[in-house]
């Protein structure tokens, strides 16, 4: 065997190294004055001492952001009013779900199907599961068959069909037969979820692809300061604004709340359906300029082959020994072409050493992402249960489901602050606020949001005129809401804290999934990151019996404890990985051999 004895003596990360990193470890790049591989004349000393800043954002990256904005406006403009639409019945005298009595419009709640809190929760939870399960399918199709651009374009028409069905199911003739309207809602959820899921797994990596040619380089600012233009900082900034676009889109729910209350649900669903037409139009406008990666049908099979080859002979009936074998520094060696001579190299091994490194890095990234279901479990409370909390408070003219928009507003306000002030300030002070650290802080913050919600719910129970721990159902003799004497905007705390937690954790997960995935698996790995929301929804669905209003205080408090415990376990588990962030990001950069049938690797422009 053509084993490299020097390679076996390296620390654990070296098994993932690029060709250039191996040279650096062997001494070829030992001097701090040598240029870093994959950079434009940046030395190791400069990399460590100069401030890192973001590059400029290309035009076609902004087009991708616009696509996500329009798709998210449509999604949130429909789903954010699902809670009242399903839970509450038609208001007195209404055929559309609108509050028709002007005297009670300020404190009235729109409704349609009258299925109650538990059924509303179950349907909304299924919708969340479906929307975050389908990205896995969309990611596989894009990475192995159609490519990202074609998958998104096809999915936009599927999604549009689902929205049209939803508008029809919310029309007055349909709402006159609640069971039929419910059936239309379920069909629309299935179709919209399929289209939206396929889009979700591909828009995020398509954004990252627009920065494919960015390299580490030096630049002198107008102030005279020499800085490093960093691809990783650029991607961090890009995903911050991408997430801001998501939340600008989420503000579509503001108009939906008022449209539902004042004009009915068919109108509330029609507006986002029309806005969705922006998606295929913008995609078509930028078609010739998008940077795209062509699909490779075998990439998923190749990943499985790499894992199979590396794990061969590593299994043991002793779990502790199996664990040690899988953590061994030379674990990935037997899957690398350099491990073999030309005579004994397996015929199916047609990738390069760097692809093996990318697979190893992807496995690590997926392990990081597996902690997110608990985070999304806490997030899910602002997506439904806190709307029920708000329904039991004094509205003073604000629809109860309007409050949910505090979450996207928080993100829109704070994302520029983090991108322009907080994160650059940390870098200037030399604080390396790595993805692992950001995610850890996100878990702590979302736990704090749940504590706030639990305490608030306790006071609402105590102040409700009905004193039955069901304040959202408390009514006057005229069958209008009789809320607790607490202004609804007091519930803003959890929405704001969850928004800040998303900046730390959720945005970072998108960035992490893109930067750690192989070039031709970025949709699949992004879909895996989003699949954690589906796992969270499945877990939430199992807790349906506990998602009732009279148990909210206990529920919110339990989620807070779960988030904090998960956060500390997460940071302890990945502390060493956190120290290797810079090395991980270098895998696959610089000189590499590529697949046997592609020399050199090609990134195509256009679709």
């Amino acid at each position: 065997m053509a084993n490299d004895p020097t390679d076996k003596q390296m620390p654990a990360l070296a098994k993932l190294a690029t060709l250039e990193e191996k040279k650096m470890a062997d001494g070829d790049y030992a001097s701090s004055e040598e240029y870093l591989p994959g950079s434009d004349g940046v030395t190791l000393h400069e990399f460590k001492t100069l401030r890192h800043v973001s590059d400029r954002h290309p035009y076609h990256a902004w087009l991708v952001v616009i696509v996500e904005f329009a798709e998210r406006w449509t999604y949130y403009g429909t789903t954010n009013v699902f809670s009242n639409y399903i839970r509450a019945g038609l208001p007195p005298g209404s055929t559309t779900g609108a509050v028709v009595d002007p005297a009670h419009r300020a404190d009235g709640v729109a409704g349609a199907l009258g299925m109650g809190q538990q059924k509303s929760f179950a349907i909304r939870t299924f919708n969340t599961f479906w929307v975050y399960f389908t990205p896995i399918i969309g990611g596989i199709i894009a990475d192995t068959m159609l490519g990202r651009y074609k998958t998104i374009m096809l999915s936009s028409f599927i999604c549009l069909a689902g929205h049209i069905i939803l508008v029809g199911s919310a029309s007055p003739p349909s709402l006159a037969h609640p069971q039929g309207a419910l059936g239309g809602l379920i069909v629309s959820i299935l179709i919209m979820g399929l289209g939206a899921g396929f889009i979700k797994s591909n828009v995020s990596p398509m954004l990252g692809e627009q920065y494919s040619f960015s390299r580490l380089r030096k630049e002198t600012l107008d102030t005279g300061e020499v800085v490093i233009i960093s691809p990783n900082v650029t991607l961090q900034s890009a995903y911050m604004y991408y997430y801001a676009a998501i939340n600008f889109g989420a503000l579509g729910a503001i108009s939906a709340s008022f449209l539902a209350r004042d004009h009915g649900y068919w109108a509330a669903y029609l507006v986002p359906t029309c806005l969705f037409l922006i998606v295929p139009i913008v995609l078509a406008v930028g078609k010739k300029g998008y940077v795209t990666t062509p699909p490779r049908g075998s990439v998923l099979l190749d990943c499985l082959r790499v894992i199979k080859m590396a794990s061969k002979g590593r299994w043991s009936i002793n779990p502790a020994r199996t664990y040690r074998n899988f953590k061994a520094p030379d674990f990935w060696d037997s899957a690398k072409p350099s491990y073999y001579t030309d005579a004994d190299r397996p015929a199916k091994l047609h990738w390069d050493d760097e692809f093996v490194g990318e697979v190893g890095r992807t496995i690590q990234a997926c392990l990081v992402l597996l902690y997110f279901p608990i985070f999304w479990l806490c997030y899910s409370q602002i997506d439904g249960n806190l709307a029920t909390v708000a329904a039991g408070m004094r509205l003073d003219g604000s629809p109860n489901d309007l409050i949910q928009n505090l979450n996207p507003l928080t993100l829109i306000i704070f994302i520029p602050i983090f991108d322009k002030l907080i994160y650059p300030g940390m870098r200037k002070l030399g604080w390396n606020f790595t993805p692992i650290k950001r995610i850890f802080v996100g878990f702590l913050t979302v736990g704090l949001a749940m504590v706030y919600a639990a305490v608030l719910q306790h006071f609402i129970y105590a102040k409700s005129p009905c004193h039955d721990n069901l304040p959202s159902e408390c009514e006057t003799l005229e069958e209008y809401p009789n809320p607790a004497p607490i202004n609804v905007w007091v519930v803003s705390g959890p929405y704001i804290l969850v928004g800040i937690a998303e900046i730390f954790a959720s945005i970072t997960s998108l960035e992490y999934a893109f930067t750690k995935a192989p070039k031709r698996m970025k949709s699949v790995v992004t879909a895996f990151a989003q699949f954690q929301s589906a796992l969270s929804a499945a877990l939430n669905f199992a807790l349906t019996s506990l998602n009732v209003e009279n148990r909210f205080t206990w529920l919110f408090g339990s989620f807070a404890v779960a988030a904090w415990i998960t956060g500390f376990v997460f940071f302890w588990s990945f502390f060493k990985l956190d120290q290797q962030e810079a090395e991980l990001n270098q895998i696959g950069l610089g000189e590499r051999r590529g697949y046997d049938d592609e020399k050199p690797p090609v990134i195509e422009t256009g679709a």
Side-chain angles (χ1 to χ4, degrees), residues 60 113 170 247 324 349 363 370 447 461:
H60 282 84
L113 303 184
N247 288 280
R324 287 195 299 270
L349 201 159
I363 297 298
L370 277 174
Y461 287 157

Side-chain angles (χ1 to χ4, degrees), residues 331-463:
F331 175 78
W332 296 101
D333 284 3
S334 60
K336 297 178 180 178
S338 62
Y339 185 77
Y340 304 93
T341 64
D342 290 340
D344 63 7
R345 177 181 170 183
K348 61 185 177 183
L349 201 159
H350 52 271
W351 49 79
D352 58 9
D353 282 12
E354 285 65 38
F355 179 73
V356 178
E358 289 176 325
V359 173
R361 182 179 64 181
T362 300
I363 297 298
Q364 292 279 21
C366 289
L367 292 175
V368 167
L369 297 170
L370 277 174
Y371 282 76
F372 270 81
I374 300 300
F375 179 90
W376 293 121
L377 197 62
C378 296
Y379 173 88
S380 69
Q381 303 312 298
I382 72 167
D383 199 29
N385 282 346
L386 282 177
T388 302
V389 172
M393 304 171 72
R394 199 179 70 244
L395 299 179
D396 296 335
S398 301
N400 68 305
D401 48 10
L402 175 69
I403 311 301
Q404 297 177 65
N405 295 285
L406 279 171
N407 173 253
L409 280 172
T410 298
L411 285 153
I412 290 167
I413 292 169
F414 278 94
I415 280 176
I417 294 173
F418 273 80
D419 184 58
K420 298 298 184 183
L421 297 175
I422 296 177
Y423 286 161
M426 287 181 169
R427 289 193 291 269
K428 198 164 189 176
L429 292 172
W431 296 350
N432 189 16
F433 200 32
T434 57
I436 298 297
K437 295 186 184 77
R438 280 181 264 153
I439 293 170
F440 168 63
V441 173
F443 272 99
L444 300 186
T445 307
V446 81
L448 186 61
M450 292 299 97
V451 170
Y452 186 120
V455 173
L456 174 61
Q457 185 65 64
H458 171 76
F459 279 101
I460 294 174
Y461 287 157
K463 298 291 185 179

Side-chain angles (χ1 to χ4, degrees), residues 41-59:
V42 177
T43 67
L44 180 61
H45 175 73
E46 290 168 335
F47 180 82
K48 290 182 176 180
T49 57
L50 296 180
R51 185 163 65 96
H52 291 215
V53 300
S54 171
D55 202 349
R56 299 168 186 84
H57 299 291
Y59 165 71

Side-chain angles (χ1 to χ4, degrees), residues 462-518:
K463 298 291 185 179
S464 174
C466 293
H467 299 292
D468 58 358
N469 287 356
L470 296 171
S472 73
E473 298 180 11
C474 187
E475 295 181 339
T476 63
L477 294 176
E478 294 82 16
E479 297 185 353
Y480 284 101
N482 190 13
I486 302 174
N487 187 277
V488 71
W489 292 100
V490 177
V491 81
S492 62
Y495 289 100
I496 294 171
L497 287 169
V498 169
I500 294 173
E502 287 180 81
I503 293 175
F504 288 125
S506 179
I507 296 176
T508 304
S509 74
L510 294 174
E511 171 196 337
Y512 204 77
F514 181 83
T515 58
K516 302 302 182 288

Side-chain angles (χ1 to χ4, degrees), residues 10 26 38 96 159 178 214 375 437 457 569:
M10 290 185 187
D26 289 337
T96 63
C159 203
S214 180
F375 179 90
K437 295 186 184 77
Q457 185 65 64
V569 172

